[in-house]
Amino acid sequence: MTAKPKKKKFHVEENMTIDQVLSQMTKEGYMPVRRMEEPIFQEKKENGAIQIIPIGKKIVFEGKLV
């Protein structure tokens, strides 16, 4: 049997809620210690100029083995 890593990252996918990810972490034996958010941008060309538009965010939880 292999040992679990002491830290693991859990990504919140588009079809998941934060509560579902936190429940998954608990089931696997991890406690959330850090939440990271990164914006997702899209480039849009308009009148010859490039605009950068935020279209969403990516949420990642870091879990520590309990």
Side-chain angles (χ1 to χ4, degrees):
M1 184 172 148
T2 61
K4 288 185 179 181
K6 291 185 180 190
K7 289 185 179 179
K8 184 177 177 182
K9 291 185 179 179
F10 295 84
H11 299 268
V12 179
E13 303 295 332
E14 283 188 32
N15 58 348
M16 297 175 76
T17 64
I18 291 174
D19 286 335
Q20 289 173 325
V21 174
L22 294 174
S23 295
Q24 177 188 355
M25 290 176 75
T26 305
K27 286 178 189 174
E28 292 186 29
Y30 289 89
M31 176 180 69
V33 293
R34 185 174 176 198
R35 174 182 168 153
M36 299 168 279
E37 293 186 25
E38 294 180 23
I40 300 171
F41 296 103
Q42 181 179 27
E43 290 183 359
K44 183 179 179 184
K45 244 184 184 179
E46 193 172 292
N47 298 332
I50 297 176
Q51 291 183 326
I52 299 176
I53 302 167
I55 58 169
K57 62 183 171 182
K58 181 170 60 169
I59 302 173
V60 179
F61 284 96
E62 187 175 286
K64 181 180 171 185
L65 191 60
V66 181

